[in-house]
Amino acid sequence: MTILAELSEEDLEKYFEHTLEKDQRIEPRDWVPEAYRRTMIRMMAQHAHSEIIGMQPEGNWITRAPSLRRKAILLAKVQDEAGHGLYLYSATETLGADRTDLTERLVTGRQKYSSIFNYPTLTFADVGVIGWLVDGAAICNQVPLCRSSYGPYARAMIRICKEESFHQRQGFELLMTMMRGTRAQRDMVQDAVNRWWWPSLMMFGPPDADSPNTEQSMAWKIKRHTNDELRQRFVDMSVPQAEALGVTFPDPALEWNAERGHYDFGEIDWAEFKQVVSGNGPCNAERVEHRRRAHEDGAWVREAAAVHAAKQEGKV
Ligand SMILES: [Fe+2]
Ligand SMILES: [Fe+2]
């Protein structure tokens, strides 16, 4: 039997390529190229940060939910997002990342999270639209990631997607209820849709021509589809849902193209996207500051846990 330490770098690389070719999963103790490790850690960390920061816009409405039922649903949803963040931080640790370091990168603005969470939630209809469109876009992005080449990430994504699907449904159901309500409620829904539609399309990232990492991520089978493919899938899926709800999207160019078999849609404001990604969106500073404060407020819990663990060890 050959032990791993005796294999040359070249053999290890061949084994890695072979695993990918066979569509098998890369596992924590497998050898991986340094660039794969870095890319996976960055991707999982950004995803984890997005889940955690993503609790804020909706958390904003927990104390003001209009009924006990809506409050229970919203609480469950926001707690799910915390869980998603925790699985994903754990997954980064399987590649040697340090959670404290990742949190530090988030609160100092050195590591990013999804730009969508830098927009404000102005009315309760925003809670519904986030569930419907933002969690809907997340599902489009994440279902193919259940087949991502890195095993711990792919497996975490299976459970996350099941929960995201509940999030999407509760959002749609909330909006359907409001659409059956008063004129003012319907207007509130349409206004929220107008504000969230374009940022939701930006969630798929820059256009393929401007996305230099996509090719390598697809070769490593980390990603299975390009940004533009997923964005198109999301548009095609959302239009009939908007019709069922009785709302419109704020895009005069949105039109069925029989030749392509897809909806055409207007140009995304990439200048706005770049502004928000680089920290200048409407709520960037507030989101990061809130996270930093929450992390500091939790310091005593981490200290107490460490002391408790040390005491337990002393007993053995
Ligand atoms: Fe989530
Ligand atoms: Fe979600």
Side-chain angles (χ1 to χ4, degrees), residues 162-268:
K162 284 183 184 156
E163 292 177 347
E164 293 303 350
S165 130
F166 150 63
H167 299 171
Q168 208 249 0
R169 290 205 167 207
Q170 66 81 36
F172 192 81
E173 191 265 350
L174 189 165
L175 296 176
M176 198 51 118
T177 306
M178 288 185 83
M179 290 304 286
R180 290 199 196 105
T182 62
R183 177 70 201 259
Q185 285 175 308
R186 283 193 292 278
D187 290 348
M188 209 184 270
V189 173
Q190 183 61 60
D191 172 64
V193 171
N194 292 347
R195 286 181 287 107
W196 290 93
W197 174 245
W198 290 107
S200 300
L201 294 188
M202 294 175 196
M203 283 176 72
F204 297 91
D208 293 349
D210 203 12
S211 176
N213 298 329
T214 295
E215 202 183 329
Q216 179 63 75
S217 293
M218 287 184 65
W220 279 333
K221 298 191 177 173
I222 293 174
K223 269 174 88 164
R224 298 284 180 158
H225 306 281
T226 72
N227 297 352
D228 287 334
E229 282 166 12
L230 292 168
R231 189 169 9 248
Q232 181 71 63
R233 190 179 290 181
F234 176 68
V235 172
D236 291 347
M237 191 181 91
S238 300
V239 173
Q241 293 176 359
E243 281 165 9
L245 266 180
V247 295
T248 56
F249 291 131
D251 179 3
L254 190 65
E255 199 178 11
W256 177 250
N257 182 327
E259 213 171 288
R260 289 200 312 124
H262 293 291
Y263 283 92
D264 289 337
F265 54 98
E267 185 62 30
I268 292 168

Side-chain angles (χ1 to χ4, degrees), residues 6 15 24 49 55 69-70 74 85 118 131 169 177 200-201 209 266 268 297:
E6 287 171 358
Y15 184 75
Q24 288 169 346
H49 297 331
M55 295 165 73
R69 179 171 174 268
R70 292 292 167 202
L74 185 54
N118 292 312
R169 290 205 167 207
T177 306
S200 300
L201 294 188
I268 292 168
D297 287 349

Side-chain angles (χ1 to χ4, degrees), residues 49 89 99-108 291 295:
H49 297 331
Y89 283 127
R99 198 184 296 205
T100 312
D101 171 56
L102 297 180
T103 302
E104 192 60 30
R105 283 168 194 262
L106 170 65
V107 299
T108 53
R291 180 69 195 98
H295 186 64

Side-chain angles (χ1 to χ4, degrees), residues 5-179:
E6 287 171 358
L7 292 174
S8 68
E9 182 113 340
E10 205 177 306
D11 288 336
L12 291 168
E13 188 135 20
K14 253 189 227 157
Y15 184 75
F16 171 77
E17 294 294 342
H18 184 73
T19 307
L20 291 180
E21 248 164 60
K22 290 239 168 182
D23 233 344
Q24 288 169 346
R25 298 285 163 269
I26 307 290
E27 296 298 338
R29 271 181 265 176
D30 292 343
W31 180 91
V32 293
E34 195 44 37
Y36 178 91
R37 181 189 306 277
R38 272 199 312 264
T39 303
M40 255 346 284
I41 289 177
R42 195 189 58 232
M43 183 170 168
M44 292 190 292
Q46 284 180 359
H47 191 164
H49 297 331
S50 304
E51 301 283 359
I52 297 296
I53 294 279
M55 295 165 73
Q56 292 183 37
E58 289 177 288
N60 178 35
W61 282 94
I62 291 173
T63 55
R64 291 173 291 163
S67 68
L68 181 60
R69 179 171 174 268
R70 292 292 167 202
K71 183 168 178 146
I73 294 171
L74 185 54
L75 266 175
K77 195 226 174 206
V78 173
Q79 284 176 352
D80 281 353
E81 307 300 7
H84 299 172
L86 296 183
Y87 310 149
L88 291 167
Y89 283 127
S90 299
T92 61
E93 288 178 321
T94 65
L95 282 176
D98 175 59
R99 198 184 296 205
T100 312
D101 171 56
L102 297 180
T103 302
E104 192 60 30
R105 283 168 194 262
L106 170 65
V107 299
T108 53
R110 282 177 296 146
Q111 215 159 35
K112 304 211 178 306
Y113 55 89
S114 178
S115 59
I116 192 81
F117 301 117
N118 292 312
Y119 291 87
T121 41
L122 305 181
T123 71
F124 199 72
D126 290 39
V127 170
V129 173
I130 289 180
W132 173 39
L133 294 180
V134 176
D135 290 277
I139 293 170
C140 267
N141 259 327
Q142 291 169 17
V143 165
L145 294 176
C146 296
R147 294 185 299 121
S148 178
S149 60
Y150 190 56
Y153 190 49
R155 288 189 290 273
M157 217 46 67
I158 294 172
R159 175 162 174 185
I160 289 178
C161 282
K162 284 183 184 156
E163 292 177 347
E164 293 303 350
S165 130
F166 150 63
H167 299 171
Q168 208 249 0
R169 290 205 167 207
Q170 66 81 36
F172 192 81
E173 191 265 350
L174 189 165
L175 296 176
M176 198 51 118
T177 306
M178 288 185 83
M179 290 304 286

